[in-house]
Amino acid sequence: QVQLVESGGGLVQPGGSLRLSCAASGSITSINAMGWYRQAPGKEREYVAVVSRTGSTNYQESVKGRFTVSRDMAKNTVSLQMNSLKPEDTAVYYCNAAGVTLATGVFTPVYWGQGTQVTVSS
């Protein structure tokens, strides 16, 4: 019933920027937190950033100072502004929504989007 759709991925040169967006749709009452994970080829999926309902943010150490996560509570969207991109940032980026409560009262710990490819290369 809940769908997360990412957008904004693409090919960018090292040092460039991209902005990813994710929209959650469905009969959603509330979402505790929204964030981003990524998975590079041959690697496990790793945490990137998260923003809570209060606006508190947290980042993986490797992206601190370069990435900024933001959330629009009213629209149930989350964005990831990625600056100073490095080749090692290349991965499929996945949006997630944690602690989702539906209008029916049903609670789901985590929903995932299908991912958007980010490639950082000259």
Side-chain angles (χ1 to χ4, degrees):
Q1 191 170 356
V2 174
Q3 183 177 28
L4 302 180
V5 180
E6 302 99 333
S7 62
L11 174 64
V12 65
Q13 296 184 29
S17 299
L18 283 174
R19 185 177 180 86
L20 306 182
S21 296
C22 171
S25 62
S27 300
I28 302 169
T29 297
S30 64
I31 301 174
N32 186 47
M34 299 187 75
W36 296 89
Y37 282 68
R38 66 186 182 186
Q39 187 168 21
K43 301 291 184 65
E44 294 184 355
R45 187 174 298 187
E46 66 176 0
Y47 164 79
V48 175
V50 67
V51 55
S52 72
R53 295 183 66 190
T54 64
S56 178
T57 59
N58 189 269
Y59 300 89
Q60 181 205 114
E61 188 66 29
S62 68
V63 307
K64 288 182 179 178
R66 300 189 298 120
F67 291 11
T68 302
V69 64
S70 60
R71 178 179 177 181
D72 187 328
M73 293 293 296
K75 296 181 178 180
N76 286 327
T77 60
V78 63
S79 297
L80 185 68
Q81 178 66 46
M82 305 184 294
N83 299 325
S84 301
L85 284 163
K86 305 174 181 179
E88 47 264 49
D89 293 318
T90 296
V92 176
Y93 283 70
Y94 297 90
C95 172
N96 78 352
V100 180
T101 301
L102 304 181
T104 59
V106 174
F107 177 82
T108 300
V110 179
Y111 280 100
W112 292 94
Q114 294 302 304
T116 185
Q117 178 70 49
V118 172
T119 302
V120 185
S121 178
S122 299

